[in-house]
Amino acid sequence: MDTVSLVSAIVSVLGAVVTVTLGGLFEWRRQHSDREQARRDRVSRYRDPLLQAAAGLQARLGNAVARLSGLPVTQVAPEDSARQDEYNRYESLYRFALYQGWVHILFQEAGFLDLGSRRRNRRLVELLAGVSSAIAAHDDHGSTGVLQGGEQRLIGELMLASDSFDQAQRRCLGYMEFRKKLENDPEYARRFQPVLDFIDGRRMDAVAMRMRLNAVHNALIELIDFLDPHRVWVMGPRDRLSLHVAEESDD
């Protein structure tokens, strides 16, 4: 074989090797990009409704604290009217239950959810646990109608829509569906009574209730900051509330 033929053969072999190598590299990058897009779609599928549910509950708690503090709040009807009282009760109940519902869905899918790193995954779990602990804590000896972790999970389960067995289509009950179930199913409604008792302030000390509301509010803010650090989706204020209401009330 002459020199020209040898060089030509070597170039052909090298060209084939480069082609195969680049093809494999491009295919790996394509598959990696597809997996990353699928991961982001999955995160968005659960993160976005959880974020909105957390923000809705946090805003509702802010109104409740303002009302307890004697500050002006936005009303849909005259204060102390039957319409306003009903709105306060059931809108608050629904926002609390909706948050629990999306937390329940998220934990069911936790094995498939990846925020991009183990540190972020762990941080999300810590923040969700922080909200649950703020609701269930016994720092005021239960005088504010504590909901234990199991009771919170039960409410989350009850918020799953009956047509959401398919993981890709799981959703929580809409407001109308929720109100109908409360009205038509006494056993279903009974499970939510402890939350309504808390909302109504039955047998509760006002200062302890404010402390509990502030703690849950602040834990939700921490979660919202994590899920929306650039304030793209939640535009409202994110101020923390004081956890020393008793001291403030003595001034």
Side-chain angles (χ1 to χ4, degrees):
M1 180 180 294
D2 57 30
T3 302
V4 174
S5 298
L6 178 60
V7 170
S8 178
I10 292 174
V11 170
S12 296
V13 172
L14 290 176
V17 171
V18 170
T19 298
V20 171
T21 302
L22 289 178
L25 177 61
F26 290 148
E27 177 62 18
W28 178 85
R29 293 183 64 180
R30 184 191 67 78
Q31 292 180 1
H32 178 74
S33 177
D34 289 346
R35 287 194 299 269
E36 178 62 16
Q37 186 60 50
R39 182 192 69 80
R40 292 184 179 184
D41 290 345
R42 192 178 299 115
V43 168
S44 179
R45 165 78 178 87
Y46 299 108
R47 179 200 59 200
D48 294 353
L50 174 65
L51 172 62
Q52 295 304 318
L57 178 57
Q58 174 264 320
R60 195 71 199 148
L61 294 180
N63 278 346
V65 171
R67 187 176 290 106
L68 286 171
S69 304
L71 300 176
V73 295
T74 302
Q75 305 286 347
V76 300
E79 182 68 26
D80 295 328
S81 67
R83 180 186 172 198
Q84 185 63 51
D85 289 344
E86 180 181 20
Y87 178 84
N88 289 341
R89 294 184 85 229
Y90 291 105
E91 179 68 11
S92 299
L93 178 63
Y94 179 71
R95 292 195 194 190
F96 179 87
L98 184 65
Y99 170 78
Q100 296 294 344
W102 278 109
V103 170
H104 177 72
I105 291 174
L106 178 66
F107 273 119
Q108 285 197 325
E109 304 301 320
F112 305 97
L113 194 65
D114 181 7
L115 297 179
S117 71
R118 291 182 179 178
R119 180 184 61 82
R120 287 183 59 78
N121 293 346
R122 183 168 57 250
R123 182 58 179 157
L124 174 60
V125 173
E126 290 172 351
L127 291 169
L128 293 172
V131 176
S132 179
S133 295
I135 295 169
H138 285 279
D139 52 358
D140 58 2
H141 307 292
S143 62
T144 56
V146 175
L147 273 182
Q148 300 301 316
E151 293 175 307
Q152 295 176 47
R153 289 190 293 274
L154 175 60
I155 287 178
E157 292 180 26
L158 292 173
M159 283 301 292
L160 281 183
S162 59
D163 59 356
S164 61
F165 294 109
D166 183 354
Q167 289 184 352
Q169 302 297 325
R170 282 185 175 172
R171 67 179 182 88
C172 290
L173 294 173
Y175 186 69
M176 182 178 293
E177 295 173 295
F178 178 65
R179 289 296 302 270
K180 283 184 176 180
K181 292 201 72 169
L182 285 178
E183 293 169 3
N184 299 327
D185 187 342
E187 179 61 22
Y188 182 86
R190 184 177 69 83
R191 303 296 184 176
F192 293 87
Q193 192 58 49
V195 187
L196 283 175
D197 287 345
F198 178 85
I199 293 170
D200 294 339
R202 295 175 183 170
R203 302 181 305 278
M204 296 175 192
D205 175 79
V207 171
M209 186 174 184
R210 279 185 60 192
M211 291 176 65
R212 176 58 53 84
L213 289 172
N214 289 2
V216 178
H217 175 279
N218 292 350
L220 286 167
I221 289 292
E222 294 288 339
L223 176 62
I224 292 167
D225 279 345
F226 176 80
L227 295 175
D228 184 32
H230 303 297
R231 297 174 180 254
V232 174
W233 303 110
V234 178
M235 306 298 292
R238 300 187 185 180
D239 298 331
R240 273 64 171 176
L241 301 176
S242 173
L243 298 180
H244 303 289
V245 177
E247 286 81 350
E248 291 177 357
S249 65
D250 293 336
D251 292 342

